[in-house]
Amino acid sequence: MTSLIKKNASGNTADGDANLLVNEVVGVPGGIGEAARQARAAAYDTFLRGLLPPREGVALLAVGGLGRRQCAPYSDLDLVLVHAGVPGTDELAASIWYPIWDAGLRLDHSVRTVAEALSVAQDDVKVALGLLDARLVVGDQALADALSRTAADHWRRTAIRHLTGLREITTARWQAHGELAFLLEGDLKEAAGGLRDVGLLRAISAAGITDALRPAVRAAHLRLLDTRDALHQQVGRRVDRLVAQERAGVAALLDLRQLQPGASDAARRPGAVVDDGDALLRRVAGDARTVSHALDDAFRAADRLRSDRSRGGNGRPTRRPVARDVVEHDGELVLARTAIGARPDPSLSLRMAAAAATTRLPIARATCEWLAAYCPPLPAPWPAEARAALITLLGAGPGLVPAWETCDRYGLVDGWLPEWTRLRSLPQHNPVHRYTLDRHLVQAAHEASRHAREVDRPDLLLLGALLHDIGKGLPGDHSTVGVPLAQAVATRIGLPPGEVELIGTLVRLHLLLPDVATRRDLADPVTIASVAEAVGDTGTLDLLHALVRADAAATGPAAWSDWKGRLVAELVARVRTALDTGVLPEPPAPDPELLAGPLPVVHLTGDRVSVAAADRRGLLATVAGCLALHRLEVISADASVVDGRALVECRVQPRYGLPPDPVPLRADLRRAVGGDVSVTQRLRGRALAARGSGAAPRVVWHREAATDAVLLELRAADAAGLLYRVTCALDEAGALVRAARISTLGADVVDAFYLVGGWPDDDTRARLEAAVLAAV
């Protein structure tokens, strides 16, 4: 037995009732699967029949999940009380609704006559769709039949007209919730390819437009319903979003303990641990793809029917050539008759995909099936025409993703890139990622097309974007593991050896610029020299700069920010100077206003905080703590001594979105750097109270990463005041910090501290490391 969220009559959830094991009033069974859903529907029916005595001219209809007998463990009840104008319906409705609320059930309800219900359905397509699922629970059978029959007839007559508006509503929902097949934490109901879309397929089938509910769609629908059942049971309440922390539990409830088809090669090795949550995500992705593809086909069938009706059933569909061997026919791309009759060209599927992406027209289903069956495999190396078609496809901008997905649906992509089987629907376990790996790679190519005019070789940028994460899912650093895989693809498609090598360089170094920009001192000549040596030339530098921006945009909003963009651009500019002139750029001079006037000096300008004070130890820690007290995150910090003045310059951003009041911030900084003990005590009390949690922190040392310092890198959970605590600990342990760089990755940080002096001995390193870890 499972519980139901208990509500009072006002609709508020009662505290403590959401986790009850049994709803004693209704007795709704739990469980997963079709039988369990039918049993829940029967239990609801039994309960509801006890609330409405038999009465002529009144019928209680179930719509939604209960109407379809597809009740999840924590479903809402959607009910319509239909009447034939009998008196006292308001009192009758209240006598039904209040016991339902008292039983702890969530309820969506309405009271209407048949005429009122049909009138609303004419104006509201959602109501029209809901009435297609209407099922009598108790009451006047003839009244219920009249409404259901009339609503179905009305829908069949008006569906084509309603589908235009419905498609707009659906597109807006997709934009809000994304595509379930590619999301790492998708909404099983509202995302594209989810349960809501199955309802649209059912409505299109009911209109007689096309048989949208094919066996594959029905099977995918049942599996998605099972997944939602398991999610409700796992969480203990109504929820439709499959978040990462629930995947393993849901997979266990669904008994997904075996390796699913298409799992990574790493998981196939003996002794490898298979992530049940990954198997679940792959299954959901496959089912969502099936639903999305069926809905695309159904909408296109409706478009063709609408076009035919606009021609009065006469006249021939529009037909025009759009590329060699490719013709537009009635809004879809098909093969020219000459291409079908002749010996197929191995590049034909790629050329069709490129045409679809550039024209943003869909490929006809029959054409995709023909290409999958009869287009011969590409030779190795590819002919130039196939290579050119691939680059055109990747550079098509917004048309790339739908064209690629259509070709992937029919197995064409596996023929181009056999590696794609391993990458398809592969989860990415970093919280900054929105998409599965396959969608991320295609999205990265799409984003890279925005920067094509900034580089000398846009073709290599597009290909590098598609292949940059090809090593993910395999043991080891994906930037290293992916190099031979990407080079093998580049060789197979026919690139010359020098360009193959460059593709490998892009894959190996695609994280170099953001890692260095956020974790290293850009004013240090060693930083610039090391990047310049790794990159080699300005052409490669430009490709990497474009690739990092495309990669970040395809990852998600948490992967990029204005400050990160500025840091990367600053690094690129400095490295370009070094590559062009052979001379390392001079470090920036300190703000001259910090070197004049009485001490202390405090400047607040935009995202910069600059302080000058009398030289003393611990100044950086004091400034960092004061900034944390005012809810400012420090992105970078530099400390130096010029003419006897200690200078601290920080780049900051608000921790919670709103900048602090500059007046008290400036006052606290002046008092703190002047040695005011009361401010220091306030800093310690607040900062030490807010520590991070999660996996154990780790310290990594870098020996030759700076000119006059060694680098201590802390990898830990993010927390307010972390920089203050660590700099205090280092200061108390006798280390002098001249710079700090803070890089936030989701809930974790990688903080780099430049410690003045040579390489410390083993005992000193151990002592400093222990002090840092104790402070975390």
Side-chain angles (χ1 to χ4, degrees):
M1 305 290 284
T2 189
S3 66
L4 294 170
I5 300 177
K6 189 167 185 176
K7 283 187 166 186
N8 57 31
S10 64
N12 295 320
T13 302
D15 292 339
D17 287 341
N19 295 317
L20 293 175
L21 296 179
V22 178
N23 183 288
E24 297 179 355
V25 179
V26 182
V28 178
I32 299 166
E34 184 64 17
R37 290 189 287 272
Q38 293 280 345
R40 280 190 286 272
Y44 285 130
D45 285 357
T46 300
F47 171 67
L48 294 171
R49 287 177 187 136
L51 302 180
L52 179 64
R55 183 171 177 180
E56 187 175 352
V58 178
L60 183 64
L61 304 183
V63 295
L66 180 56
R68 298 186 299 271
R69 292 189 174 93
Q70 294 171 348
C71 304
Y74 291 89
S75 286
D76 291 355
L77 294 187
D78 296 320
L79 301 174
V80 181
L81 184 64
V82 182
H83 63 95
V86 299
T89 52
D90 289 342
E91 293 78 6
L92 180 61
S95 70
I96 300 172
W97 308 150
Y98 277 84
I100 293 174
W101 283 321
D102 291 340
L105 302 176
R106 300 167 61 103
L107 175 64
D108 188 0
H109 59 86
S110 61
V111 181
R112 293 181 178 126
T113 64
V114 171
E116 289 170 342
L118 295 174
S119 177
V120 174
Q122 286 182 346
D123 299 328
D124 190 334
V125 68
K126 293 182 179 179
V127 174
L129 296 185
L131 290 179
L132 295 178
D133 297 324
R135 178 177 63 83
L136 178 67
V137 176
V138 61
D140 191 326
Q141 181 72 58
L143 188 66
D145 289 345
L147 176 59
S148 297
R149 183 174 58 253
T150 308
D153 290 342
H154 177 266
W155 174 250
R156 280 190 290 270
R157 292 194 307 271
T158 63
I160 290 295
R161 174 168 57 85
H162 278 305
L163 280 178
T164 300
L166 183 60
R167 194 170 191 172
E168 294 177 356
I169 295 172
T170 301
T171 301
R173 171 169 56 83
W174 291 345
Q175 291 174 346
H177 294 279
E179 299 170 84
L180 181 58
F182 305 115
L183 292 173
L184 296 173
E185 295 188 334
D187 189 304
L188 296 171
K189 184 176 182 179
E190 302 293 346
L195 295 170
R196 184 78 73 186
D197 285 353
V198 179
L200 295 180
L201 290 171
R202 190 167 48 251
I204 292 173
S205 294
I209 296 172
T210 184
D211 181 17
L213 293 175
R214 298 188 291 271
V217 176
R218 295 179 186 274
H221 181 211
L222 291 176
R223 285 191 294 268
L224 289 173
L225 288 172
D226 290 349
T227 303
R228 185 176 65 172
D229 288 351
L231 180 59
H232 281 206
Q233 192 159 310
Q234 168 72 14
V235 178
R237 58 185 174 86
R238 179 190 172 185
V239 60
D240 294 321
R241 188 175 177 222
L242 182 60
V243 296
Q245 60 264 33
E246 305 298 349
R247 274 191 224 132
V250 172
L253 290 172
L254 294 171
D255 201 25
L256 292 179
R257 301 178 183 276
Q258 300 300 318
L259 185 63
Q260 299 296 302
S264 70
D265 294 340
R268 297 181 185 278
R269 295 195 175 97
V273 177
V274 178
D275 191 323
D276 294 343
D278 287 4
L280 171 64
L281 196 61
R282 284 182 180 271
R283 192 179 88 166
V284 169
D287 292 336
R289 273 186 159 116
T290 298
V291 172
S292 289
H293 297 154
L295 188 55
D296 286 342
D297 288 344
F299 275 138
R300 290 207 296 272
D303 291 341
R304 289 193 298 271
L305 181 58
R306 186 183 300 107
S307 297
D308 185 59
R309 289 182 179 179
S310 69
R311 294 190 297 265
N314 300 313
R316 309 182 74 175
T318 301
R319 188 176 176 89
R320 66 180 181 93
V322 297
R324 187 166 72 87
D325 297 327
V326 181
V327 175
E328 178 191 352
H329 178 84
D330 205 13
E332 294 182 326
L333 296 186
V334 300
L335 289 170
R337 296 184 181 92
T338 54
I340 296 176
R343 178 182 176 87
D345 177 359
S347 67
L348 186 57
S349 63
L350 272 165
R351 290 192 286 110
M352 174 61 74
T358 53
T359 61
R360 301 192 196 180
L361 291 173
I363 308 173
R365 176 181 174 186
T367 298
C368 290
E369 292 173 343
W370 190 94
L371 289 170
Y374 298 110
C375 190
L378 286 158
W382 288 10
E385 191 172 30
R387 190 164 56 254
L390 175 64
I391 298 305
T392 300
L393 171 63
L394 296 179
L400 165 62
V401 173
W404 188 279
E405 174 61 13
T406 296
C407 294
D408 196 22
R409 168 187 182 184
Y410 290 96
L412 301 179
V413 174
D414 289 350
W416 310 334
L417 302 172
E419 298 83 358
W420 205 254
T421 302
R422 179 179 61 82
L423 305 177
R424 186 179 293 110
S425 302
L426 186 67
Q428 303 194 79
H429 295 288
N430 190 309
V432 301
H433 277 279
R434 292 183 58 196
Y435 297 123
T436 53
L437 179 58
D438 54 340
R439 174 57 186 275
H440 169 71
L441 294 176
V442 178
Q443 189 71 27
H446 161 55
E447 299 292 345
S449 68
R450 304 176 190 272
H451 306 287
R453 297 182 182 180
E454 303 173 14
V455 298
D456 294 334
R457 290 298 303 271
D459 54 336
L460 299 185
L461 170 62
L462 296 169
L463 188 58
L466 182 69
L467 300 176
H468 73 281
D469 277 346
I470 195 173
K472 283 188 174 179
L474 299 175
D477 180 355
H478 76 279
S479 298
T480 302
V481 173
V483 171
L485 300 177
Q487 290 179 329
V489 173
T491 301
R492 189 166 65 246
I493 69 174
L495 295 185
E499 294 176 7
V500 170
E501 186 68 24
L502 181 52
I503 290 294
T505 299
L506 294 180
V507 173
R508 186 177 67 256
L509 300 181
H510 74 272
L511 296 177
L512 175 68
L513 296 182
D515 282 354
V516 171
T518 57
R519 302 180 189 180
R520 297 294 181 264
D521 182 5
L522 303 188
D524 194 315
V526 170
T527 300
I528 307 305
S530 64
V531 175
E533 181 180 4
V535 172
D537 58 73
T538 56
T540 303
L541 179 66
D542 288 338
L543 286 170
L544 287 171
H545 190 200
L547 178 56
V548 69
R549 287 175 285 168
D551 185 16
T555 298
W560 197 250
S561 62
D562 290 342
W563 70 264
K564 191 170 185 178
R566 289 196 298 270
L567 289 177
V568 171
E570 181 181 344
L571 172 62
V572 169
R574 289 174 175 274
V575 173
R576 183 184 304 281
T577 299
L579 290 172
D580 283 341
T581 66
V583 178
L584 295 175
E586 292 291 330
D591 185 347
E593 294 187 13
L594 297 178
L595 303 178
L599 297 176
V601 180
V602 176
H603 282 168
L604 307 178
T605 55
D607 64 348
R608 292 183 180 274
V609 175
S610 303
V611 174
D615 186 16
R616 64 178 179 85
R617 295 187 65 88
L619 184 62
L620 175 58
T622 299
V623 172
C626 194
L627 295 175
L629 181 66
H630 288 264
R631 299 180 178 180
L632 283 172
E633 291 181 333
V634 178
I635 299 167
S636 65
D638 293 286
S640 59
V641 178
V642 178
D643 296 335
R645 292 181 174 225
L647 309 181
V648 175
E649 299 182 76
C650 299
R651 185 173 287 172
V652 299
Q653 65 183 7
R655 189 170 187 87
Y656 299 111
L658 295 175
D661 187 338
V663 175
L665 172 59
R666 184 180 288 105
D668 276 349
L669 282 169
R670 286 181 176 277
R671 292 167 57 203
V673 300
D676 190 318
V677 177
S678 64
V679 177
T680 305
Q681 290 174 342
R682 188 157 51 104
L683 296 176
R684 286 183 176 273
R686 292 198 182 184
L688 293 175
R691 294 176 179 264
S693 59
R698 181 186 175 202
V699 168
V700 178
W701 293 86
H702 299 273
R703 188 166 196 155
E704 297 178 352
T707 304
D708 59 350
V710 296
L711 196 65
L712 182 153
E713 194 173 80
L714 169 64
R715 302 173 184 178
D718 189 17
L722 179 62
L723 177 62
Y724 167 65
R725 295 198 303 273
V726 174
T727 49
C728 279
L730 289 170
D731 181 63
E732 291 170 359
L736 179 60
V737 180
R738 75 157 174 81
R741 294 293 180 273
I742 288 76
S743 177
T744 303
L745 305 170
D748 292 338
V749 294
V750 178
D751 292 354
F753 298 89
Y754 285 77
L755 309 183
V756 176
W759 183 252
D761 57 39
D762 292 347
D763 290 342
T764 302
R765 291 202 311 276
R767 178 170 54 81
L768 293 176
E769 185 172 330
V772 168
L773 294 177
V776 175

